[in-house]
Amino acid sequence: MIRVLVVEDEPVAAEAHRVYVERLPGFSVAGVVHSGGEALRFCEREPVDLVLLDFYLPDTHGLAVCRSLRAAGLPIDVIAVTSARDLGLVKAAVSVGVVQYLLKPFTFATLREKLERYAEFRDASGEVTGQAEIDRALGALRTTEQPPLPKGMSVQTLEAITDALSGAAEGLSAGAAANAIGASRVTARRYLEYLADNGMAHREPHYGQVGRPEVWYRLTRV
């Protein structure tokens, strides 16, 4: 059983991560904490194999947590769970021993694949006979291609919608999202519904002066 510590400052996102991990055979949640200091104290007193680590914590940065784990000599692996898209940060994460980098927002299927591949890598043991076996062992951490989107949907438009939602703390209506990306209202709604159906966005009713409430969509921070 792989013991996982969830480190996430937002309670709703932390609970989502906990539920996701508990759904996977071979994994158990060792604990849930909401800051870097709590994470380090937990790892010093409890057995942990893997940390799902948010990088933007209220008291420190995730990279500092990784460095402290290494300095303490704790044999704990880290999967970064963050919205940070800076390749410089990705390189820094690799340098401090992060084994996987999971970009928010994500679906359960994406996290499941990351964890299953980590488990495959962790289970590899024994002495190799050649370079090919080493390459296969390291290759277990590589993610396969993402499942195809529904017919008629494109990755570029999905990313544009996601970026628009990322910049709108209060959320967007289908009409506002359409204006933001230069698409039709119908197209925007289709992508927003896809995000909501996959747990990457929330639907929220907004009540105007008259008529039925308009549905707004707000990005889920998980």
Side-chain angles (χ1 to χ4, degrees), residues 130-190:
Q131 184 65 45
E133 290 185 41
I134 293 176
D135 292 342
R136 278 196 297 272
L138 293 176
L141 291 172
R142 303 293 182 264
T143 305
T144 58
E145 292 185 4
Q146 292 292 321
L149 292 171
K151 186 176 180 180
M153 295 181 68
S154 72
V155 173
Q156 292 80 7
T157 304
L158 183 62
E159 289 181 347
I161 286 284
T162 302
D163 288 343
L165 285 179
S166 296
E170 299 302 317
L172 293 172
S173 65
N179 290 335
I181 69 169
S184 71
R185 187 187 184 97
V186 172
T187 296
R189 180 179 290 110
R190 184 183 184 194

Side-chain angles (χ1 to χ4, degrees), residues 2-164:
I2 297 174
R3 298 159 295 193
V4 180
L5 175 64
V6 174
V7 184
E8 167 62 56
D9 67 317
E10 286 202 358
V12 173
E15 176 62 12
H17 293 174
R18 184 194 67 78
V19 171
Y20 283 175
V21 173
E22 291 286 10
R23 288 170 63 182
L24 292 174
F27 291 86
S28 66
V29 176
V32 178
V33 298
H34 306 290
S35 70
E38 288 180 286
L40 293 172
R41 289 190 293 271
F42 190 97
C43 290
E44 288 171 353
R45 69 174 187 267
E46 301 289 344
V48 174
D49 302 307
L50 175 67
V51 176
L52 289 185
L53 180 64
D54 182 20
F55 269 12
Y56 297 124
L57 298 168
D59 59 340
T60 188
H61 195 278
L63 288 178
V65 175
C66 293
R67 294 187 184 102
S68 295
L69 290 174
R70 297 295 170 262
L74 296 172
I76 298 173
D77 292 320
V78 174
I79 293 180
V81 181
T82 177
S83 58
R85 297 169 180 257
D86 181 4
L87 282 178
L89 185 58
V90 175
K91 294 175 182 178
V94 172
S95 72
V96 295
V98 171
V99 296
Q100 295 270 26
Y101 197 99
L102 183 56
L103 192 63
K104 298 178 180 180
F106 56 87
T107 63
F108 169 68
T110 303
L111 178 61
R112 179 181 60 201
E113 182 176 23
K114 293 286 187 184
L115 291 179
E116 287 177 346
R117 287 183 167 271
Y118 168 76
E120 182 182 344
F121 169 76
R122 182 182 172 85
D123 288 343
S125 61
E127 186 172 341
V128 301
T129 59
Q131 184 65 45
E133 290 185 41
I134 293 176
D135 292 342
R136 278 196 297 272
L138 293 176
L141 291 172
R142 303 293 182 264
T143 305
T144 58
E145 292 185 4
Q146 292 292 321
L149 292 171
K151 186 176 180 180
M153 295 181 68
S154 72
V155 173
Q156 292 80 7
T157 304
L158 183 62
E159 289 181 347
I161 286 284
T162 302
D163 288 343

